[in-house]
Amino acid sequence: MPAKPPFPWRGWLAAFAVAAILAWSWRGTGFSLAVLAQGLPEMGEYLARLTPSAERPWHARYLPEIQARLLETVRIAFAASVIGSALSLPFVLVGTRTLAPARWAYNLGRGFLNLLRTIPDLVLATVLVAALGLGPLPGLVALVFFTFGIVAKLLSDTIETVDPGPMEAIAAAGGTRLQRALFAVFPQVAPDYAAYTLYAFEINVRVAAVLGLVGAGGIGQTLMTDIQLFRYGRIGLVVFSIFVVVLVIDAFSTWLRSRLV
Amino acid sequence: MTPATRTPAAGGGAGPAPGRAGAGTRALRIVWALSAVAALWWSLGGLEVTPERLSRGLPQAGTIIRQMFTPPNWAYLPDVAEGLSQSVQIAALGTFIAAVLALPFGALAARNLSRLAALPLVGKLALNVIRTFPELVLALLFIRAVGPGPFAGVLAVGIHSIGMVGKLYAERIETVDRASLEALSASGASPLEVFRYGVVPEVLPDFLSFALYRFDLNVRAATVLGLVGAGGIGEKIQIMRTAQQWPSVGTILIGVIVLVGLVDYVSARLRARLT
Amino acid sequence: MAAAPASPPVVAFENVTKQFPNGHVALRNVSLTFPRGEFVVVVGLSGAGKSTLIRCVNRLVTPTAGRVLVDGVDVTSLGDAALRRARAGIGMIFQNYNLVRRSSVLRNVLAGRLAYLPTWRTLLGLFPRADVELALRSLERVGIVEKAYQRADTLSGGQQQRVAIARALTQRPAILLADEPVASLDPPTAHQVMRDLKRLSREENLTTLVNLHFIDMAQEYADRIVGLRAGEVVFDGPAEGVTEQTFEAIYGRRIRPDDLRGAAADEAAAAADGAALAR
Ligand SMILES: Nc1ncnc2c1ncn2[C@@H]1O[C@H](COP(=O)(O)OP(=O)(O)OP(=O)(O)O)[C@@H](O)[C@H]1O
Ligand SMILES: [Mg+2]
């Protein structure tokens, strides 16, 4: 008979640790199925009030404002995607091992990028609302940072895996760092770069839709006001229109990306 | 304004013309570049982003940022720690709920488990729909059901995460060798048993890794939920921001950065060991 | 020769036809009976319908016409639960072993007990002691019990096929199906696995249906050979009388070197070695 394998201590320890964390979280968050069961009918009622009905129809007169706010949402997302990904282009000259002038510059660039990426988008937006005032501007700036972080990271990761041959050729011909980047690297990663920008745009639309909940512009602003004023018919319509816009833009952008790469 | 509009021209133009040599390429590039600039112009124009606003706002932002960190309010640190641990709790429980509830969705959406071709399509559609509702909107809804606080945050994170986790599950299940499942059903195993003995052992390490990845994202989400009253450090951000207690906001920011960085690191290390 | 003529057939095909949804007819009005304990090899060119035939026995393929009787029960009309019960008594071995790669060998073999246990037990992984012992004994019989706690994907191809055989044995089946069980193995290993199959089939008095590509192996191991061409039975008789001509009639073409597995390859290898030595 074969020797039985040793008892899997590590697996059980890990399972025990996870169970302990979950128990701690359960207590700390006041999670309770009883409360949930009690509250669900009320939530159902609330949801029912959000759907169009005879007493609470989705009035066509809500549409102009919703449309305007949705447009603002898309504008924020689009502008942030373009500006943020544009800013990430020069960044790769320090943030990529193969293009950085020195090791310390690379480490500094990557460090900055990692630091930037730890700040949650909406936390940044909240702070910026305080600094720049209510409206789309703080949302735009927050998303520019966010886009920059994501595109710069993905782009420099891609550049590090790119065929170094052309770069060596240009270096051999006496090309500068900038020339190497412009003529050997960027042409190789251009489709990826476009795809990352689109990817950031998809995320930005989703985030821009809720920026207004912290006062940073877009359709979320309407949603917040409507919730505070209990304008049920409008809440339903706004949530539904966010849903449609996000799905449509997502599908379109995903399709475009699949054609790029 | 000018640098911001000129650089994207290069970016916008680089995209659609990769490697395609030819007479029209240059013209095409210019067209793309110009339309990107025009679209950006249109977007910014609608956003009241004017040079005056920027020149007024940016120095003010600078002042506030200086106040945040020179020095931060270290006395506030215990409160920050409390808020952060609540965010972790929301993320942990929410991730657990999602990791469990995503199982049936993932199995439903996987093409190689279903006898009907339509079911996976329905499953994938359902997952996409779930993903489309942002955590914050869900949080506002759950506050209706269970009142404001971290419990609503747990539910929002848990439900929203099902979308992504379920999709990852389904894609992983689809790479499981169909033949090994067939062997099990040929020996008389029921569909549930085929899942338990054919699918689970193959996918479990990857499923755990997806959950850890989602936990990482959920910790970020859970720092924000408090902004709409669903618990965690976000509530303290909201309070201190409204009270214009900038040094305390600075302390919170440092705490959030440290926490997110730490979770990111630990999650990546654990995931590397799983696979 | 081996069959006891009086016993009723364990497996019987009655006018079985299988037409796939795309219109292709893979089996055409097949009628065959297999008595207890017979070791049958099914031969035929690729696409002749060999796999379809043996998959009809445990209804991995459902015939479009006719009946397949297993122990007198028509499996084509069984409901889900009854079908699972019927499948429990039919072991099956595949060309690519089809093990759960990340599970241990023992787990894979225990899977042969799933149909016999209540679902709550199997979902919790609580196998009765007797089943674990049965699984270990099956592994012993195929000679790899020392690998019981190793992951299945750490085993060689021949060892994995033995695990698959042990899994089938653990079902305590009356019928064994094998779909090209040695096609992925090198000649010596292939012969070992075929010898194991034949031995176990004798010891347990199993009705065994094996699909094989190679005519020399068919001749060596079969009690009876069934030849298929384009979904029809074109030969059915004891292995003794079978000659190359018979195979040429079944295949509808001349026998080629690649229709042979064992000896030919061994001799070729030996010849190559000799040539190498001579040089
Ligand atoms: N699911 C299916 N749909 C349509 N046609 C099928 C299907 N499965 C098998 N066939 C066809 O039925 C015929 C018989 O297939 P089968 O797999 O039984 O052949 P085989 O004799 O086992 O061949 P091989 O030696 O290559 O395994 C083939 O022509 C095959 O293409
Ligand atoms: Mg076959």
Side-chain angles (χ1 to χ4, degrees):
Chain A
M1 283 291 122
K4 279 216 175 182
F7 186 75
W9 282 114
R10 295 223 307 218
W12 281 101
L13 234 89
F16 185 77
V18 169
I21 291 174
L22 288 176
W24 171 67
S25 304
W26 187 303
R27 285 189 48 144
T29 56
F31 186 95
S32 150
L33 285 178
V35 172
L36 180 63
Q38 234 172 30
L40 276 184
E42 197 185 326
M43 195 175 105
E45 225 172 273
Y46 188 77
L47 281 177
R49 259 178 271 163
L50 300 190
T51 53
S53 63
E55 320 101 87
R56 267 180 295 270
W58 286 0
H59 284 301
R61 64 184 148 82
Y62 301 153
L63 281 177
E65 193 200 333
I66 292 176
Q67 248 169 29
R69 286 299 190 166
L70 279 173
L71 198 64
E72 183 173 283
T73 306
V74 176
R75 279 177 156 150
I76 294 173
F78 180 80
S81 307
V82 174
I83 299 172
S85 59
L87 292 177
S88 70
L89 268 184
F91 172 81
V92 299
L93 289 176
V94 284
T96 309
R97 199 171 297 143
T98 44
L99 290 176
R103 185 77 202 188
W104 64 264
Y106 167 77
N107 285 335
L108 202 70
R110 276 300 171 120
F112 169 71
L113 196 60
N114 287 335
L115 184 71
L116 182 68
R117 283 162 44 77
T118 56
I119 307 177
D121 36 26
L122 284 167
V123 170
L124 189 60
T126 315
V127 175
L128 286 171
V129 165
L132 300 174
L134 290 172
L137 182 61
L140 175 72
V141 175
L143 285 187
V144 165
F145 277 111
F146 175 73
T147 310
F148 170 79
I150 199 165
V151 176
K153 171 83 166 57
L154 291 171
L155 190 62
S156 30
D157 285 354
T158 307
I159 289 178
E160 285 179 2
T161 64
V162 111
D163 174 19
M167 227 178 354
E168 281 166 11
I170 290 188
T176 62
R177 240 162 24 87
L178 190 62
Q179 285 167 334
R180 266 183 310 196
L182 283 178
F183 296 102
V185 176
F186 288 164
Q188 288 191 70
V189 298
D192 299 283
Y193 176 65
Y196 299 151
T197 305
L198 279 172
Y199 172 65
F201 176 59
E202 284 162 42
I203 304 179
N204 283 343
V205 171
R206 286 167 188 265
V207 180
V210 293
L211 277 175
L213 298 180
V214 299
I219 186 77
Q221 202 107 42
T222 319
L223 184 61
M224 205 55 179
T225 323
D226 292 342
I227 287 176
Q228 280 159 354
L229 299 177
F230 300 98
R231 297 197 286 214
Y232 296 109
R234 280 185 53 137
I235 301 173
L237 186 56
V238 168
V239 170
F240 179 74
S241 60
I242 292 179
F243 175 74
V244 171
V245 167
V246 168
L247 269 194
V248 168
I249 289 186
D250 225 65
F252 175 70
S253 174
T254 310
W255 171 78
L256 212 58
R257 271 198 290 148
S258 73
R259 292 203 27 183
L260 275 173
V261 216
Chain B
M1 222 33 220
T2 323
T5 48
R6 199 180 300 139
T7 357
R20 266 178 241 146
T25 311
R26 204 184 171 79
L28 203 67
R29 257 183 221 206
I30 291 171
V31 169
W32 271 95
L34 285 179
S35 38
V37 174
L40 182 65
W41 193 260
W42 168 80
S43 298
L44 290 176
L47 295 178
E48 312 143 33
V49 180
T50 55
E52 306 91 77
R53 251 203 100 178
L54 277 173
S55 62
R56 196 153 31 86
L58 289 180
Q60 196 185 338
T63 315
I64 288 177
I65 289 170
R66 207 168 326 109
Q67 283 181 30
M68 281 183 194
F69 299 110
T70 54
N73 178 8
W74 295 121
Y76 192 55
L77 210 51
D79 292 78
V80 173
E82 193 195 307
L84 288 176
S85 54
Q86 195 173 68
S87 284
V88 171
Q89 290 170 333
I90 293 171
L93 209 51
T95 307
F96 177 73
I97 291 173
V100 173
L101 292 185
L103 282 174
F105 281 99
L108 186 77
R111 254 176 289 131
N112 55 341
L113 292 191
S114 153
R115 278 187 242 178
L116 297 168
L119 275 185
L121 289 179
V122 174
K124 290 211 167 91
L125 186 73
L127 289 170
N128 254 335
V129 167
I130 295 175
R131 232 155 49 95
T132 305
F133 289 102
E135 280 117 346
L136 286 185
V137 173
L138 287 177
L140 288 168
L141 277 179
F142 280 118
I143 284 174
R144 288 279 142 186
V146 301
F151 185 20
V154 171
L155 295 171
V157 164
I159 299 301
H160 175 80
S161 308
I162 292 175
M164 185 183 117
V165 176
K167 187 155 167 274
L168 290 172
Y169 281 2
E171 280 163 5
R172 179 62 184 88
I173 291 175
E174 280 173 358
T175 67
V176 171
D177 179 20
R178 217 182 186 140
S180 68
L181 306 182
E182 188 178 49
L184 289 174
S185 41
S187 74
S190 66
L192 217 55
E193 288 166 338
V194 170
F195 187 78
R196 163 76 170 81
Y197 283 90
V199 177
V200 171
E202 294 283 340
V203 302
L204 193 61
D206 293 315
F207 277 23
L208 289 176
S209 155
F210 299 151
L212 276 169
Y213 174 56
R214 188 63 225 191
F215 174 66
D216 183 0
L217 299 183
N218 281 347
V219 168
R220 289 165 197 259
T223 60
V224 173
L225 286 169
L227 300 177
V228 297
I233 188 74
E235 287 184 347
K236 299 203 188 320
I237 299 179
Q238 190 73 322
I239 295 168
M240 288 300 146
R241 194 203 69 171
T242 320
Q244 306 214 335
Q245 298 285 328
W246 301 119
S248 297
V249 175
T251 319
I252 294 175
L253 270 185
I254 292 171
V256 168
I257 289 172
V258 169
L259 174 72
V260 172
L262 195 71
V263 170
D264 196 280
Y265 176 77
V266 171
S267 159
R269 282 292 294 267
L270 286 177
R271 277 182 282 143
R273 287 183 58 177
L274 271 173
T275 39
Chain C
M1 96 191 176
S7 68
V10 175
V11 178
F13 281 71
E14 292 181 353
N15 307 317
V16 171
T17 294
K18 173 63 190 181
Q19 181 170 27
F20 282 106
N22 65 2
H24 185 87
V25 179
L27 290 179
R28 211 179 285 274
N29 203 26
V30 170
S31 291
L32 291 164
T33 58
F34 303 101
R36 180 164 310 283
E38 197 171 44
F39 196 93
V40 184
V41 170
V42 182
V43 295
L45 288 177
S46 181
K50 304 184 296 292
S51 299
T52 309
L53 181 81
I54 70 166
R55 285 164 163 266
C56 284
V57 178
N58 58 3
R59 223 180 84 190
L60 286 180
V61 167
T62 307
T64 36
R67 305 199 303 165
V68 178
L69 303 176
V70 173
D71 273 327
V73 178
D74 179 13
V75 291
T76 60
S77 61
L78 293 178
D80 281 354
L83 177 63
R84 284 202 292 276
R85 243 173 285 127
R87 281 177 172 178
I90 307 172
M92 188 162 187
I93 297 158
F94 303 82
Q95 173 179 344
N96 296 315
Y97 333 126
N98 297 0
L99 301 178
V100 180
R101 293 189 302 267
R102 296 185 91 125
S103 290
S104 72
V105 165
L106 183 61
R107 275 261 138 161
N108 269 287
V109 176
L110 275 171
R113 297 310 295 170
L114 290 176
Y116 293 97
L117 296 169
T119 303
W120 68 266
R121 278 198 88 132
T122 59
L123 290 188
L124 293 174
L126 300 171
F127 288 93
R129 231 193 138 73
D131 284 352
V132 178
E133 275 162 18
L134 175 63
L136 287 169
R137 228 173 312 127
S138 304
L139 281 169
E140 225 164 12
R141 293 174 72 183
V142 294
I144 48 166
V145 70
E146 73 281 359
K147 308 278 186 198
Y149 297 103
Q150 228 161 293
R151 252 171 69 157
D153 56 4
T154 61
L155 268 53
S156 72
Q159 290 169 335
Q160 291 195 34
Q161 195 58 298
R162 289 209 178 81
V163 175
I165 295 173
R167 172 170 68 187
L169 275 183
T170 305
Q171 288 176 241
R172 289 192 166 285
I175 300 163
L176 195 58
L177 308 173
D179 193 356
E180 313 231 8
V182 297
S184 306
L185 302 174
D186 59 83
T189 316
H191 278 290
Q192 263 168 27
V193 166
M194 280 309 289
R195 272 197 296 275
D196 278 352
L197 267 183
K198 179 92 183 202
R199 173 175 53 83
L200 295 164
S201 160
R202 281 277 172 279
E203 287 172 10
E204 302 277 319
N205 202 24
L206 300 175
T207 305
T208 308
L209 300 184
V210 185
N211 287 346
L212 283 181
H213 250 104
F214 302 107
I215 62 174
D216 50 341
M217 289 193 114
Q219 279 172 305
E220 190 171 346
Y221 296 102
D223 297 335
R224 169 180 165 196
I225 289 180
V226 170
L228 285 181
R229 188 165 74 211
E232 284 179 283
V233 178
V234 293
F235 178 85
D236 183 7
E240 275 115 53
V242 170
T243 62
E244 274 205 8
Q245 280 73 43
T246 322
F247 283 107
E248 297 195 331
I250 295 171
Y251 286 7
R253 62 158 172 74
R254 295 198 60 84
I255 297 304
R256 300 190 300 232
D258 58 342
D259 294 328
L260 305 168
R261 157 126 295 182
D266 284 352
E267 273 159 25
D273 284 352
L277 279 178
R279 246 183 280 128

